[in-house]
Amino acid sequence: MRVLLVEDSADDAALLVRCLKRSGYAPTFDRVETAEGMRAALDRTRWDIVFSDHRMPLFSALGALRVLRERDLDLPFIIVSGNIGPELVASAMQEGASDYVLKDDMSRVAPAVDRALRDVAERRKRREAELALKESEERFALAVRGSRDGLWDWNLLTGRVYYSGRLKEMLGFEEHELEGIEAFAARIHEGDRERASAALRDHLVRRVPYDVELRVATKQGEVRWYCARGQALWDEAGTPIRIAGSLSDLTTRKNAEAELKAQLELILQQQEAIRLLSAPIIEVWDGVLTVPVLGALDVERAQAILDALLAAVSRAQCRQVILDVTGVASMEADTAEQLVRIVRALRLLGAHCIVVGIQPQAASAMVTRGIDLSSITTLANLRQALVRCMRGGGGAGSAAAPAALR
């Protein structure tokens, strides 16, 4: 323990040091007799405790206390005096002294030191806690100012509600406006009130996380989307006593989601229109359908054509189907396989399928690759297929052929 002795008597100082050692302390000390000497000692090192005689020729305990106050030092300060009256003790205590000990009763030194050190340690802890609290409050205040969210705090016992300035600003209110929970609840969109109430009940009763999206009308009447989040506190009996949280503006995100949804719906509609246009089914006359195919014939498109054909054949009870592949540039093995699949499926419904328009290059490539289309009726062009359907009956026998084919 580093001890600073403000004492003009070397013998009294030695006596005090022996008392400290007998009490279990291991002091290192320095002795000063004047204000200048005390200031130099305080500048020279850090001390744990100060003992001071009450009255000395050139200095006093009250003067020593003033030196400590000049340096803003919170050190245990014990007055050791041969004779000190109650009024002087009171003045010293008001100046910041920790305790006093009479020189004819040095047995009180150890208890006085223990108590003084304990008091100073407690004051330091309290100051550290206050400093930590201040820093925490400053961080919170900075976070609140920097955040775009509004904050709220609802005392469920008193009904009192706090709304941050940012929250009121988000809803178009001035600082002195928007008081009470009812004022906020009344601005919730009627379509969201029950859902918001249910979310609050679930949190307070079943402790489900409170996180709900809802529409709220601003003071100016604009309906905007917000996300309300909160956390409650419960007492020992499990009764909710307080809930606090934040309010985030979701309007921009919600508008973007609505726009994206509309775009997706438009894309789906366009895809459906393209799908229908990619397999146009034309009834040339009773019982005869024709399907012109343009571009590539992959598995997905072949399935779309097949689905549309099966539905049309079943609905109209057709017996003849002409599949015109004049617009198919190349006829690979996969394309031929899809044609065979379509023809077989139509045959199961009792419809005869004729494939027309296979290009010479495609025919040559198919022969070279050994692709077998022998099970499919193929003709050169649509005219030949129409003539065959007309002459062969199959649902068209009672119908007159188009004038262009006679």
Side-chain angles (χ1 to χ4, degrees):
M1 183 171 62
R2 294 176 294 274
V3 180
L4 179 60
L5 300 174
V6 184
E7 173 64 68
D8 62 330
S9 170
D11 291 337
D12 288 348
L15 175 63
L16 178 60
V17 170
R18 286 196 299 271
C19 289
L20 291 174
K21 289 180 178 179
R22 285 198 300 268
S23 300
Y25 292 103
T28 59
F29 66 95
D30 194 0
R31 184 173 67 87
V32 297
E33 300 181 26
T34 63
E36 292 75 12
M38 184 177 180
R39 291 188 181 97
L42 293 175
D43 291 336
R44 189 164 54 248
T45 187
R46 183 174 63 86
W47 302 95
D48 295 315
I49 192 167
V50 177
F51 290 91
S52 177
D53 193 352
H54 172 56
R55 190 182 301 277
M56 295 169 285
L58 301 176
F59 205 23
S60 69
L62 293 180
L65 282 170
R66 294 188 187 99
V67 171
L68 285 182
R69 193 162 55 245
E70 289 173 3
R71 302 298 177 90
D72 195 24
L73 294 175
D74 184 13
L75 291 175
F77 189 96
I78 299 176
I79 298 175
V80 181
S81 177
N83 184 19
I84 183 171
E87 294 181 359
L88 292 176
V89 169
S91 292
M93 292 300 179
Q94 290 177 354
E95 292 289 336
S98 304
D99 207 339
Y100 74 97
V101 175
L102 295 178
K103 289 184 178 181
D104 59 1
D105 188 13
M106 297 297 284
S107 62
R108 290 194 62 251
V109 168
V113 170
D114 292 341
R115 183 170 53 253
L117 292 175
R118 185 170 57 251
D119 290 345
V120 169
E122 290 178 355
R123 287 199 300 272
R124 287 174 180 171
K125 288 182 180 179
R126 186 164 55 250
R127 284 197 299 270
E128 291 172 356
E130 291 172 352
L131 179 61
L133 177 60
K134 181 180 178 182
E135 291 178 350
S136 177
E137 291 174 343
E138 289 175 349
R139 283 195 298 269
F140 178 75
L142 289 173
V144 169
R145 288 198 295 269
S147 173
R148 301 303 299 166
D149 294 345
L151 303 180
W152 51 272
D153 188 348
W154 181 12
N155 188 319
L156 300 174
L157 299 180
T158 64
R160 185 176 180 180
V161 183
Y162 162 78
Y163 298 116
S164 70
R166 171 57 184 157
L167 186 145
K168 294 180 179 181
E169 178 187 347
M170 291 165 62
L171 297 178
F173 289 94
E174 299 295 332
E175 184 67 32
H176 64 280
E177 298 177 316
L178 192 65
E179 300 293 335
I181 195 64
E182 294 81 6
F184 178 83
R187 312 202 72 80
I188 298 176
H189 191 279
E190 60 181 8
D192 298 334
R193 287 176 185 170
E194 179 56 34
R195 182 163 50 83
S197 297
L200 182 60
R201 286 195 303 270
D202 287 344
H203 179 64
L204 297 179
V205 177
R206 299 193 294 119
R207 306 198 182 190
V208 176
Y210 182 66
D211 188 336
V212 61
E213 295 182 357
L214 66 165
R215 289 164 291 180
V216 181
T218 67
K219 180 183 178 181
Q220 294 72 28
E222 179 187 6
V223 177
R224 299 181 65 85
W225 276 99
Y226 297 94
C227 176
R229 298 184 180 90
Q231 178 61 53
L233 290 177
W234 293 266
D235 61 17
E236 295 180 355
T239 302
I241 58 177
R242 178 182 179 185
I243 180 171
S246 63
L247 192 71
S248 307
D249 195 327
L250 302 181
T251 306
T252 301
R253 195 197 80 188
K254 284 291 186 178
N255 289 342
E257 289 176 353
E259 183 178 354
L260 179 59
K261 182 179 179 181
Q263 291 176 349
L264 289 176
E265 290 177 351
L266 178 60
I267 290 172
L268 291 175
Q269 293 173 0
Q270 292 173 342
Q271 288 178 339
E272 179 63 16
I274 292 171
R275 187 187 69 81
L276 295 175
L277 291 173
S278 68
I281 300 174
I282 305 168
E283 187 173 8
V284 291
W285 68 79
D286 290 344
V288 179
L289 300 178
T290 181
V291 182
V293 181
L294 302 174
L297 186 63
D298 55 18
V299 175
E300 184 177 352
R301 190 175 179 209
Q303 185 62 47
I305 293 174
L306 178 58
D307 292 343
L309 271 174
L310 292 177
V313 168
S314 177
R315 182 174 58 253
Q317 295 297 308
C318 296
R319 292 292 177 264
Q320 303 286 344
V321 176
I322 303 171
L323 199 60
D324 188 354
V325 296
T326 305
V328 178
S330 61
M331 191 73 70
E332 303 293 339
D334 289 344
T335 303
E337 182 181 341
Q338 300 310 320
L339 288 175
V340 173
R341 190 162 67 91
I342 292 173
V343 171
R344 288 175 178 172
L346 292 172
R347 192 176 297 157
L348 291 176
L349 291 185
H352 178 244
C353 183
I354 303 173
V355 178
V356 303
I358 297 178
Q359 299 299 307
Q361 301 90 333
S364 175
M366 292 170 65
V367 171
T368 302
R369 293 181 176 86
I371 299 174
D372 182 16
L373 295 181
S374 59
S375 61
I376 300 177
T377 300
T378 60
L379 294 175
N381 53 53
L382 180 59
R383 178 185 175 85
Q384 292 180 5
L386 292 173
V387 171
R388 172 172 290 198
C389 290
M390 177 191 65
R391 292 176 178 174
S398 60
L405 299 179
R406 295 185 191 141

